[in-house]
């Protein structure tokens, strides 16, 4: 499901330096609560590409390049301190209850899921989990 969070489509510039997006993800199951992948953020020229991410379980900084190619790419570089470059957005993604195993960290939500165990994040039990995404930029476009 795609939602226009930042405007009415009129291409107005939002005069904010930080946008916070939160949503609940209801998970089900026994040992594993639920898996999420293919998270995409769209801007004025299409979907942004995940670029660099921290290798953390429940709280990861990331950068995304606003190149419009985000639906086609899901690879990214692991970086302990991502810094936004030109035409990039710096963000943080947070949640709780991630299964503490190498392949299922929160930043894996940006991967494209093709059936692999390392292509999604994975919560450890069922219930409702909040996901929070903070985007930082001096000019945040629609």
């Amino acid at each position: 499901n795609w939602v226009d969070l930042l405007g009415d489509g009129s291409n107005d510039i939002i005069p904010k330096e930080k946008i916070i997006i939160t949503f609940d993800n209801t998970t089900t199951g026994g040992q594993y609560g639920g898996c999420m992948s293919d998270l995409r953020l769209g801007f004025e020229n299409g979907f942004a590409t995940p670029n660099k991410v921290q290798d953390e379980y429940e709280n990861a900084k990331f950068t995304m390049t606003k190149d419009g190619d985000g639906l086609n790419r899901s690879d990214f570089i692991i970086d302990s301190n991502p810094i936004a470059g030109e035409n990039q957005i710096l963000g943080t993604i947070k949640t709780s209850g991630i299964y503490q195993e190498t392949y299922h960290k929160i930043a894996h939500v940006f991967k494209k899921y093709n059936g692999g165990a390392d292509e999604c994040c994975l919560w450890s039990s069922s219930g409702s989990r909040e996901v929070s995404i903070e985007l930082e930029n001096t000019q945040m476009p629609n």
Side-chain angles (χ1 to χ4, degrees), residues 43-97:
F43 294 93
E44 72 280 1
N45 66 336
F47 297 105
T49 300
N51 182 264
K52 295 181 181 179
V53 300
Q54 282 181 322
D55 198 27
E56 302 292 336
Y57 283 102
E58 297 180 341
N59 183 351
K61 288 176 79 175
F62 63 88
T63 61
M64 298 191 102
T65 302
K66 297 187 291 180
D67 60 3
D69 197 30
L71 288 180
N72 301 318
R73 292 185 45 205
S74 60
D75 56 327
F76 46 74
I77 298 168
I78 301 297
D79 191 315
S80 61
N81 186 29
I83 297 172
E86 186 177 342
N87 201 36
Q88 291 184 340
I89 297 286
L90 176 66
T92 304
I93 186 165
K94 302 175 186 177
T95 192
S96 63

